[in-house]
Amino acid sequence: PLSFGSSSTVVASVPLSGFTSPSTGGAAAGLFSPSLTPTHADGESSKSIGFGSSVTPSESSGFGSSTPFGSGVGSMSPFGNNANQPGYEDNENENNSQNEANWSSSPFGGPRIPRKEKTPTAKSESDQPEVRDGLGSSTSTRNSADAKGEDQLALLRAKLQEKKKRLTQLKQKDNATLDKGTEAKAKVSAAPLSSSSSSSNSPPANSNNEDLAAKNALRFAPSNSQQEQALTKLLPDDLKARVGQQSQTTERIPLSGNNSGESSAGDGFDDGDDDDLNIRNLSSAKSLIGTCKNMCPDEELLRREREGDIQLLEITDPGGLHPEHWTLRDTAVKRFRRSAADFKLDIPELVRPPEVLERVCGYLEEWVMERDRQGPDYRFAQQPSIVPPPLDVYQFIWDRTRMIRKDFILQNYIGNGGKCDARAVRCHERIARWHAMCEHQLSHIPDFVQHQSQQNIAELGQTMKTLNLYYDDALGRSTLEVASEEKLDHNQGCSSDIVMGKSPIDFDGSALSNATDGDDVSKRLIGKHGMKSPTRGTAEPEMRGLYILLTMNNEGGMEVLKYSGRLCVQRPDVFYSRPVQLALSVFQSKKEHNYARFFKILRSPATPYLYACIMFKYVEHMRKDALMIMSKTYGAKHKTTGEPFFDSYPLENLVEL
């Protein structure tokens, strides 16, 4: 270490290895005490202060200095001033001599002040400056407890006034931000379509927040201002009366007489147990049970309607796309949101129970999932083809399915140690199938491949991990059907066997089957036919095989080997099922670089469509392996003559392969 003092020469201290002195071999004087007296080249002693500095031993300890920062009598200050300056009286020296023990007892050279005397507003009397009169007598300016108390009260009042002022400024700033967002949204929605191209060449906005508000308004707002005003008319009658009762700065809307939806000690909360230890005992804690019976809580629906956050796919079209009696309550779905300091998710009124979550899955499949393949939609009039873009539909469902899984987690659906039943398994299986299907069907969109594909695989992996927790439940509750307390008008979340609206048309122009009397309807796992299945609509072997295909590259294939080995020991019936064995065959062909077998399985009609969607991710890698093997095999030459053989391969066969 280096020492810094009044001397300009930098002095290196002797290292304290093993806490012994290198010269004598005995115990060192102390970590911060002087052990040697280094000198300059001319033999003069160095005066320095700092870690590892070595000066002439003095009567008191510290950083090699007699007093802290040279404040003692006759000491040298590190700032170049002698503490013993004119203007100090003799009684000051007496005070220093009286507190000599305190100065030396602290490792930093300062007196040890009791904790109760260390207040941010008041100091001890000895530290207060003294006022001297002409006769030389000293008096303290504030030496009474009453004066100190008044100072503290004045300081607290000043702090409170400052906090109130800041809160007022924040509220005004929030109101201004909301006004700016509303104005930007109105401008974007009222602008004609022809002006959208010219506005792209305009200079950027002065603020990034204004630019972001304009983009969000363009993406989430209705197509014009007239539809924005009509959103209130689409609300249910019981919610129309509540519109306008809340201020724009209110984040939470009271549900049942409580402004925050939570109970606190100040609200008269009493659970009948006064023992704090029993209240904090986790063993007696109960899991949260959601009480929201709608796809979107009324509180969130009102807030989003007030902020203009109703997305295009949620706008109701009574008598057109939707039935006559439908409102926003029948089309809006709860958005994904994380917990924050000013917003909590674990409130029963905001959490949907499993039967409602299953109904949300059915609604997304029947009314939203095929909107990009069902022809024109007037809600997307700003689009060139008046058809919802596939990425918009994907991002909408991706956000809503994340919140479905979040609501299950909030209600402690985690398998062992928590809840588990067939409803949670069915919902997660449906979400996993949708992610696997989108991975292939959207692979022709460059934006999806560059920005969304990796995120889609990550969400699929999280869903599959949760399913493994359900399947590995020690009590075998993954196929347990829990009867609902209310009479449901749907079968496992499905209210129909077909997609509602026009029959979807694939991207290549071919019509997709959307009939109720087809053979595929009777083979479905979900719906009225799935309720008769002994597995209650669940498909564990299919999901186990899908997980194997998804993790073939993890740890060089070791994760698949460990997973399948554990499955063979614990669940042999699932391990020897056809889906799991098919997935292991794909894994083996990829591991052995057997491209012929890999593409044979991919093209086989017996391979499930979802398996082919995941296998498509490995097609590029297997094609490279195939060309690498062909270049080494068909380009071989004879050792003696050098004549090539197997030097040609028909291009038609390569294309077919």
Side-chain angles (χ1 to χ4, degrees), residues 72 81 126 140 159 210 221 229 272 284 310 333 339 402 412 443 501 531 536 582 588 624:
N81 294 328
S126 60
S140 177
K159 289 183 178 180
E210 296 179 359
Q229 297 175 359
S284 61
I310 303 297
V333 185
S339 297
R402 288 184 71 190
N412 200 26
S443 60
M531 299 183 65
R536 299 297 186 269
L582 178 62
Q588 183 179 4
K624 292 180 180 180

Side-chain angles (χ1 to χ4, degrees), residues 274 287 368 373 381 426 466 476 495 544 595 602:
D274 297 334
S287 300
V368 182
R373 298 193 290 186
R426 285 195 298 265
T466 305
S495 58
R544 297 280 195 178
Y595 60 88
L602 179 62

Side-chain angles (χ1 to χ4, degrees), residues 465-518:
K465 288 181 179 179
T466 305
L467 281 173
N468 286 330
L469 295 178
Y470 293 157
Y471 295 145
D472 295 336
D473 183 62
L475 301 178
R477 296 174 294 177
S478 60
T479 58
L480 177 64
E481 190 67 55
V482 179
S484 177
E485 298 178 357
E486 301 179 1
K487 186 178 180 181
L488 304 178
D489 56 351
H490 55 82
N491 300 320
Q492 297 178 350
C494 300
S495 58
S496 176
D497 290 334
I498 60 175
V499 175
M500 307 305 297
K502 299 180 180 179
S503 298
I505 300 176
D506 206 353
F507 297 109
D508 58 357
S510 60
L512 300 176
S513 176
N514 193 29
T516 58
D517 54 354

Side-chain angles (χ1 to χ4, degrees), residues 549 577-587 601 606-608 611:
L549 295 177
S577 61
R578 183 182 177 279
V580 175
Q581 291 298 316
L582 178 62
L584 291 177
S585 299
V586 176
F587 169 74
I601 296 176
T607 302
Y611 280 28

Side-chain angles (χ1 to χ4, degrees), residues 14 33 101 116 137 165 236 263 292 326-327 388 411 446 514 544 652:
V14 181
S33 300
K116 61 181 181 180
S137 61
K165 185 178 180 180
S263 58
C292 178
W326 273 29
T327 61
Q411 299 177 78
N514 193 29
R544 297 280 195 178
E652 298 178 356

Side-chain angles (χ1 to χ4, degrees), residues 286-292 347-349 351-354 410-411 419:
K286 296 182 179 180
S287 300
L288 173 69
I289 299 177
T291 60
C292 178
I347 300 174
E349 291 84 357
V351 179
R352 299 161 295 181
L410 291 174
Q411 299 177 78
K419 296 181 181 179

Side-chain angles (χ1 to χ4, degrees), residues 437-457:
M437 179 188 66
C438 290
E439 187 61 29
H440 172 63
Q441 289 192 353
L442 300 180
S443 60
H444 66 284
I445 303 177
D447 290 342
F448 176 82
V449 176
Q450 296 175 4
H451 304 100
Q452 302 290 336
S453 178
Q454 184 177 1
Q455 198 173 25
N456 182 70
I457 290 295

Side-chain angles (χ1 to χ4, degrees), residues 585-603 615 618-634 649 653-657:
S585 299
V586 176
F587 169 74
Q588 183 179 4
S589 61
K590 180 181 178 300
K591 196 69 176 176
E592 296 175 352
H593 305 283
N594 190 345
Y595 60 88
R597 185 182 181 187
F598 178 87
F599 287 108
K600 181 180 179 181
I601 296 176
L602 179 62
R603 297 181 57 191
M615 290 177 62
Y618 306 102
V619 166
E620 182 179 358
H621 174 75
M622 296 304 297
R623 283 174 177 170
K624 292 180 180 180
D625 285 351
L627 293 176
M628 185 76 67
I629 295 174
M630 288 180 180
S631 64
K632 295 180 180 180
T633 303
Y634 299 110
Y649 189 84
N653 297 348
L654 181 62
V655 173
E656 181 67 17
L657 179 61

